[in-house]
Amino acid sequence: MSLDVEKIRAEFPILASEMRGRPLTYLDSAASAQKPRVVIDAMSDFYAAHYANIHRGVYQLSSEATVEYEAVRARVARFIGARDPREIVFVRNATEAINLVARTWGEENIAPGDEIVLTMMEHHANIVPWQMLASRRGASIRVAEIDDSGVLDLDDLERLLGPRTKLVAFAHVSNALGTINPVAEIVSLARERGIVTLVDGAQAVPHQPVDVATLDCDFYAFSGHKVFGPSGAGVLHGRLERLEAMPPFLGGGDMIESVSFEDTTFAQVPQKFEAGTPDIASIIGFGAAIDYLEELGMNEISAYEHGLLLYATERLEEVPGLRILGDAKEKAAVLSFVLDDAHPHDIGTVLDAEGIAIRAGHHCAQPLMKRMGVPATARASLAFYNTRDDVDRLVDALIKTTKLFA
Ligand code: PMP
């Protein structure tokens, strides 16, 4: 079944708004996605009628809030194919999920001289926590190369996997180029050698079906705000036995079994990693976002976005002096580009005057920009609520831009 995009658009209130006197053309979903009415309503209804803290109260409101919150955990587990809801740890975002692993698993398992393998296309969120860990532990970072089209060099990655490699951490989908990495293949290369894997799924979960059991990775991280849910809700998926073997992250309420001034025993997984009051309402909204996506169907979303990517690629090639960066065969609907005479920030500003929202800059991937030989790019990223009209408006505005900077 294909998507009824006009109906979908009507379900996202912000898409009916105007910017700079023009209809909003939102092409920055890779930075953060817009929210459907059901998500906004789920949150306001929770605050208006069901709000209380979780895991604490004996009274009805609190126990109902707890049931709702835990029900979202079970829905997330099903949505990404986790074997058990206890494998789902709620965090604020993908960044926090990766830092959690670096601070817990990393502190216990990375020793002086060990190596952590990353790829050239990582977001800073999947570089900096490992660099910080490596410098604390006396370990080093190795980086797998990519080719000029933005495809990961698997031979290079395999060459880097040696006796000191303890972790391979890599993006499922590149936020700056759209490249989709062969996750199962990379995980299998690592697993054959007993190496742990962490997948940064921030750009994958919103756009394609993800099944962590098939991918077979040890950790998988993503953010709710890119999955059409609220900001403040994110997920770390970890294999149960790994999570159980890890020390806690933050200490405090909710993550303990018993506390005395002499000694504390910790709660079971996943509560062990969820100290303090979480962003309860965001988790509730996140649950509504998952229900919404499941109703549309991730296969349908992925097929629709792929069609739109092909259309946008073809149309962008009509713009004089425009060069797209990243043309992997397996590619998500992200279009990074540069124009001959205009700086990406200038492109962003000109498009903004037309009500078109794109991202311009280094996309938190400075090493990748350096590898591609540019300081920055302009990036249009598409979601299932975008249309060919949005792409046409982008192309018209870019042609106008080229004339301004000619
Ligand atoms: N990884 C990738 C590939 C991303 O695109 C992003 C967000 N741009 C992140 C990690 C970090 O996500 P967040 O800011 O939600 O933690």
Side-chain angles (χ1 to χ4, degrees):
M1 225 186 55
S2 60
L3 301 181
D4 181 349
V5 177
E6 279 319 305
K7 177 169 171 283
I8 287 171
R9 288 182 65 81
E11 288 161 353
F12 287 74
I14 208 166
L15 296 181
S17 56
E18 291 197 344
M19 292 292 140
R20 317 255 181 226
R22 309 283 175 99
L24 168 66
T25 304
Y26 189 73
L27 299 173
D28 197 20
S29 296
S32 201
Q34 297 298 349
K35 320 304 172 198
R37 171 70 68 196
V38 283
V39 168
I40 301 164
D41 286 352
M43 291 180 74
S44 53
D45 178 59
F46 179 69
Y47 276 129
H50 304 286
Y51 185 79
N53 210 335
I54 55 163
H55 296 151
R56 288 160 204 214
V58 291
Y59 54 93
Q60 186 179 349
L61 265 186
S62 174
S63 55
E64 284 176 1
T66 305
V67 168
E68 279 301 302
Y69 183 89
E70 290 303 325
V72 177
R73 198 188 305 278
R75 268 134 82 198
V76 172
R78 196 190 57 225
F79 184 60
I80 62 164
R83 293 177 189 88
D84 189 311
R86 290 174 297 168
E87 296 192 326
I88 304 298
V89 180
F90 286 133
V91 290
R92 281 180 306 147
N93 48 40
T95 302
E96 188 171 81
I98 297 168
N99 277 276
L100 189 160
V101 177
R103 286 273 174 186
T104 58
W105 178 87
E107 290 298 336
E108 290 218 328
N109 291 280
I110 299 293
D114 282 347
E115 294 174 358
I116 296 167
V117 172
L118 308 176
T119 83
M120 191 55 84
M121 69 179 90
E122 298 312 312
H123 186 281
H124 296 165
N126 201 28
I127 300 176
V128 184
W130 305 122
Q131 237 166 19
M132 291 163 68
L133 172 67
S135 91
R136 285 194 303 271
R137 304 293 303 145
S140 60
I141 304 286
R142 312 290 304 273
V143 184
E145 256 304 336
I146 57 171
D147 69 16
D148 292 341
S149 63
V151 174
L152 183 62
D153 181 341
L154 275 183
D155 293 335
D156 191 49
L157 183 122
E158 192 169 1
R159 261 195 304 277
L160 295 178
L161 304 180
R164 300 312 311 254
T165 313
K166 288 289 156 56
L167 173 75
V168 183
F170 61 99
H172 191 160
V173 173
S174 155
N175 65 309
L177 300 179
T179 310
I180 303 175
N181 283 317
V183 176
E185 207 174 325
I186 298 169
V187 170
S188 132
L189 289 176
R191 192 164 288 290
E192 280 163 17
R193 296 162 171 83
I195 299 166
V196 170
T197 48
L198 178 140
V199 181
D200 170 1
Q203 296 295 342
V205 180
H207 305 291
Q208 64 180 73
V210 168
D211 186 80
V212 289
T214 310
L215 298 177
D216 206 28
C217 49
D218 291 284
F219 299 106
Y220 195 98
F222 67 102
S223 297
H225 70 95
K226 296 186 203 268
V227 190
F228 313 91
S231 48
V235 170
L236 170 69
H237 169 265
R239 279 173 181 277
L240 196 56
E241 57 283 13
R242 275 243 179 266
L243 292 177
E244 281 173 341
M246 278 153 53
F249 179 36
L250 304 175
D254 245 22
M255 53 74 76
I256 55 92
E257 205 167 69
S258 76
V259 177
S260 70
F261 280 109
E262 291 70 40
D263 192 27
T264 291
T265 53
F266 303 119
Q268 296 298 308
V269 166
Q271 271 72 37
K272 182 168 79 176
F273 299 109
E274 295 182 10
T277 302
D279 192 339
I280 310 166
S282 286
I283 296 292
I284 301 297
F286 182 34
I290 286 169
D291 293 347
Y292 181 80
L293 290 176
E294 282 189 326
E295 210 160 293
L296 294 180
M298 292 312 296
N299 282 313
E300 284 72 12
I301 287 172
S302 159
Y304 175 78
E305 291 181 4
H306 186 67
L308 202 54
L309 169 70
L310 298 182
Y311 178 74
T313 306
E314 210 177 280
R315 292 263 16 234
L316 281 177
E317 278 163 2
E318 291 169 26
V319 180
L322 185 145
R323 182 164 65 92
I324 293 177
L325 285 97
D327 59 351
K329 210 162 123 277
E330 299 296 325
K331 185 176 168 177
V334 171
L335 296 127
S336 244
F337 56 89
V338 289
L339 270 183
D340 268 353
D341 297 312
H343 188 277
H345 282 125
D346 295 330
I347 304 173
T349 307
V350 177
L351 296 190
D352 176 48
E354 305 277 330
I356 302 171
I358 61 149
R359 176 54 63 103
H362 53 61
H363 315 295
C364 299
Q366 283 180 340
L368 173 64
M369 294 291 113
K370 191 163 173 228
R371 165 64 182 83
M372 300 305 277
V374 293
T377 74
R379 181 191 69 187
S381 54
L382 307 169
F384 56 77
Y385 45 56
N386 290 119
T387 61
R388 288 184 171 212
D389 266 358
D390 290 333
V391 172
D392 293 342
R393 255 180 255 140
L394 170 69
V395 170
D396 290 348
L398 285 171
I399 290 173
K400 226 174 180 177
T401 311
T402 59
K403 288 179 183 148
L404 279 176
F405 290 92

